[in-house]
Amino acid sequence: MTSSSSYSGLEEASSKPHLCGAAKRGSAAVPHHSNPDRPETPIIEFREVGKSYGTFTILDKLSFSVRPGEHLALIGPSGSGKTTILRLLMTLETVTAGEILIDGRSLNREERSGKIVQASEAHLRRMRAEIGMVFQHFNLFPHKTVLENVTLAPVLTSRLSKEEAKNRAFELLDKVGLTNKADEYPARLSGGQKQRVAIARALALQPKILLLDEITSALDPELVEEVLSVITDLRNETNMTMLLVTHEMSFAKDFADRVLFFEQGKIIEDGPPAKIFQEPDHERTRSFLRKVIAAGQRV
Amino acid sequence: MESFDSLVSYAWFILGGAAATLELTVLSCTLGLIVSLIAGLSLLSKKLLVRWAARTYIELFRGTSLFVQLFAAYFVLPLAGIPLSPIQAGVLAIGLNGGAYGAEVVRAAIQAVGNDQREATIALNLTRWQAMRWIIFPQAVPLMLPTFGNLAIETMKATAIASLISVSELTFQAQMVRTQTGGTALPFITILITYLAIASMMMALVRWLERRLSRGLVSVRT
Ligand SMILES: Nc1ncnc2c1ncn2[C@@H]1O[C@H](COP(=O)(O)OP(=O)(O)OP(=O)(O)O)[C@@H](O)[C@H]1O
Ligand SMILES: [Mg+2]
């Protein structure tokens, strides 16, 4: 599974100039820290974001930002709002208060004839171009072959010709070790293989931000490793910004530069994994970790 | 008792109606299918007016009898300056009637395709139309097919009503023979067998389509 060569398609993507010309990218595999001349624009910024369903509030005035190339793990008890945060970023849910900025541009609002209004579908589509997501249940297209799953979006969004999309798909399938399954339908794959196809599919659009929501929790234990090793490769070989929601503490520790611990829609703890897992500031974090350890996980 | 020869010739006379029955069936099913798709997709439109128009059409055609619709098409439309031939009036009424039922089948099948598929299309930045065209609709089709097969057979059986406006299809021909000869068994057994034969052909076609169109989905089902 592990491979030393780079994800060529992705390097290419990240060396393209940003649409708004804000952030500068460093070389691959080195996390980007701020440029001394000009403070770097966060690739993601939540500004007092609120999300509620009717009277039920999930997020209230949530603020945090993410630097380009950062690898973030979002942990916390069930129902704390981790999935909601990723779904807001993917525009699968709409923000009910505040603002999310992607690379300095508003995700949920836009200016039209001098007024700030709710983002239109066209604006959302422009913003989504920067973001990819891998789902817990893969969400592959069952009526399309593995290859078609990966080539469909680049071709339909006219990023690539059919030929180019196919070449890139094979490169990505090679990375996830599934070129031999290119012509199979998803129903014929194991869970781990499905999730690796889903990763290749998300990467085919060369997102700058990749969202991963409990991508191994629907898998049989023996299939988890093959998916995590793909993620580890991606982490080491690209400079995508990655947000990982997970209940696997040991993987969060290896993966993340920075861990956010959530409870009831609030960030309780924010810091490098060594700190969060070894000497958290809050009792709530400690009790969460104790529960996780009691449930049999290594932290 | 009539001679065997004349029995055969009456039977042939009745079978001559099969051409018109098939014509009515094919045209009505085609119209019904097109209208089902348009009305079914309209029911899912974001625009209130479009949804409302589709809903009105469906309720109108399901709430009145095919008999009334056929007579309206044949006798009332000419008063509005739209004269139709018996076949045209038959196809219009039977097709639009079937379409009203088909629309609900289309809507239900599209809604039955999981939300996770829709979310994947958003994450892959497809437009709503692309998502429908390439992801949602193709998965909805195998769900529609069994019900559409039944609707097509209902439509075929409903073509008999066109005999009332003198389309010389199977039932009309059978009635002619009955009034001329006074015999009931021969004409009705002949059309019974013929309708049955057409229905089995249609069923076979639907089953073949089901196999063709559920690639990738079959292994999940079996
Ligand atoms: N569509 C919805 N309508 C109402 N409430 C919802 C909806 N989606 C999520 N919620 C609620 O929002 C809260 C946060 O949910 P979310 O899925 O973000 O939590 P999570 O941290 O991902 O949890 P888990 O670890 O179990 O996946 C939960 O209380 C959940 O019940
Ligand atoms: Mg979740």
Side-chain angles (χ1 to χ4, degrees):
Chain A
M1 255 351 282
T2 353
S3 140
S4 57
S5 70
S6 67
Y7 287 67
S8 51
L10 299 159
E11 303 286 5
E12 198 183 294
S14 45
S15 62
K16 272 193 309 205
H18 280 214
L19 292 173
C20 68
K24 275 237 166 66
R25 296 270 173 160
S27 59
V30 179
H32 316 274
H33 295 292
S34 49
N35 175 336
D37 301 333
R38 186 175 43 179
E40 209 169 20
T41 311
I43 185 122
I44 298 170
E45 186 177 355
F46 274 56
R47 282 192 188 159
E48 307 212 319
V49 170
K51 173 67 187 170
S52 43
Y53 292 99
T55 56
F56 183 58
T57 302
I58 296 162
L59 304 179
D60 184 31
K61 298 208 167 144
L62 178 68
S63 299
F64 68 96
S65 50
V66 182
R67 286 196 313 273
E70 231 176 351
H71 304 123
L72 218 66
L74 282 62
I75 62 167
S78 187
S80 57
K82 309 177 297 291
T83 296
T84 304
I85 289 166
L86 298 197
R87 291 174 59 83
L88 288 172
L89 280 166
M90 196 64 258
T91 70
L92 299 172
E93 303 284 352
T94 47
V95 171
T96 45
E99 189 165 33
I100 298 176
L101 303 175
I102 303 294
D103 229 350
R105 290 177 298 166
S106 179
L107 179 68
N108 55 310
R109 291 180 189 158
E110 67 176 315
E111 197 186 309
R112 231 182 308 157
S113 45
K115 278 209 211 105
I116 303 292
V117 293
Q118 279 278 314
S120 63
E121 180 65 19
H123 178 79
L124 292 178
R125 286 199 66 234
R126 277 193 296 276
M127 298 303 293
R128 276 177 207 141
E130 317 272 329
I131 308 171
M133 184 162 184
V134 181
F135 298 88
Q136 183 176 4
H137 298 284
F138 334 122
N139 302 15
L140 292 180
F141 303 134
H143 62 304
K144 298 277 175 197
T145 64
V146 164
L147 184 65
E148 288 165 341
N149 264 275
V150 182
T151 56
L152 187 91
V155 173
L156 286 182
T157 55
S158 345
R159 306 257 191 106
L160 297 178
S161 71
K162 277 207 168 113
E163 201 52 39
E164 291 165 334
K166 205 170 152 182
N167 291 338
R168 174 166 317 150
F170 270 109
E171 264 170 46
L172 291 167
L173 288 175
D174 185 39
K175 281 295 167 192
V176 301
L178 289 172
T179 41
N180 60 332
K181 300 286 184 190
D183 296 322
E184 293 281 10
Y185 285 97
R188 305 268 314 257
L189 305 182
S190 74
Q193 290 169 335
K194 281 182 197 163
Q195 196 57 295
R196 285 185 278 148
V197 173
I199 294 168
R201 181 176 72 171
L203 295 177
L205 287 170
Q206 304 185 320
K208 285 192 210 153
I209 301 168
L210 187 64
L211 310 172
L212 306 157
D213 189 7
E214 295 195 38
I215 57 169
T216 58
S217 61
L219 301 179
D220 291 338
E222 71 272 21
L223 303 176
V224 168
E225 194 45 46
E226 65 189 50
V227 172
L228 293 186
S229 91
V230 167
I231 297 300
T232 304
D233 287 357
L234 262 182
R235 175 207 190 283
N236 294 337
E237 296 168 16
T238 71
N239 42 28
M240 257 187 312
T241 307
M242 295 167 81
L243 271 66
L244 173 88
V245 170
T246 187
H247 286 283
E248 309 240 353
M249 296 307 141
S250 64
F251 186 66
K253 200 156 94 184
D254 294 341
F255 167 86
D257 316 322
R258 178 177 162 206
V259 177
L260 298 183
F261 174 74
F262 281 88
E263 199 178 66
Q264 296 185 343
K266 300 231 177 323
I267 297 175
I268 304 293
E269 207 100 39
D270 177 353
K275 176 170 188 319
I276 308 292
F277 290 114
Q278 261 97 57
E279 44 193 46
D281 289 332
H282 293 84
E283 173 51 30
R284 277 180 286 188
T285 320
R286 279 190 285 274
S287 84
F288 172 75
L289 291 173
R290 271 199 302 276
K291 267 187 219 138
V292 168
I293 292 166
Q297 276 199 44
R298 204 167 35 81
V299 174
Chain B
M1 188 66 205
E2 292 179 71
S3 75
F4 180 74
D5 275 359
S6 64
L7 278 184
V8 169
S9 72
Y10 280 130
W12 271 116
F13 175 78
I14 293 171
L15 282 176
T21 295
L22 283 175
E23 185 184 354
L24 280 171
T25 304
V26 170
L27 294 177
S28 304
C29 283
T30 308
L31 177 66
L33 184 65
I34 294 169
V35 173
S36 300
L37 294 177
I38 295 172
L41 288 170
S42 301
L43 284 175
L44 299 167
S45 168
K46 271 189 168 171
K47 297 195 180 70
L48 182 69
L49 193 69
V50 174
R51 288 204 303 276
W52 181 83
R55 181 51 63 198
T56 306
Y57 153 67
I58 292 165
E59 296 309 331
L60 188 69
F61 276 82
R62 290 200 308 192
T64 58
S65 79
L66 178 54
F67 184 82
V68 173
Q69 291 155 20
L70 180 76
F71 277 44
Y74 192 56
F75 296 113
V76 180
L77 283 185
L79 303 180
I82 313 171
L84 297 179
S85 73
I87 289 261
Q88 286 169 339
V91 168
L92 188 69
I94 300 167
L96 289 181
N97 185 276
Y101 291 91
E104 291 288 2
V105 177
V106 170
R107 180 194 56 77
I110 286 174
Q111 284 183 329
V113 176
N115 211 31
D116 59 342
Q117 293 288 304
R118 260 168 265 267
E119 293 186 345
T121 66
I122 295 174
L124 292 171
N125 213 5
L126 306 189
T127 63
R128 266 170 68 88
W129 164 249
Q130 287 171 335
M132 182 57 78
R133 164 70 185 80
W134 299 101
I135 305 303
I136 309 300
F137 190 73
Q139 291 183 67
V141 169
L143 304 177
M144 296 173 200
L145 269 179
T147 322
F148 264 165
N150 292 339
L151 273 181
I153 286 169
E154 286 300 323
T155 301
M156 189 270 292
K157 290 190 282 189
T159 58
I161 202 171
S163 62
L164 297 175
I165 53 170
S166 70
V167 176
S168 44
E169 45 70 71
L170 283 170
T171 306
F172 184 83
Q173 302 291 84
Q175 295 282 16
M176 294 261 286
V177 170
R178 196 170 70 108
T179 42
Q180 272 184 21
T181 65
T184 307
L186 169 84
F188 285 117
I189 288 171
T190 311
I191 61 170
L192 186 133
I193 292 171
T194 317
Y195 279 124
L196 209 59
I198 297 175
S200 343
M201 276 173 1
M202 291 170 72
M203 266 334 237
L205 181 71
V206 170
R207 264 187 244 114
W208 177 78
L209 275 173
E210 271 182 71
R211 278 197 305 275
R212 283 277 328 244
L213 295 176
S214 49
R215 266 176 312 171
L217 304 172
V218 272
S219 40
V220 187
R221 284 212 200 137
T222 48

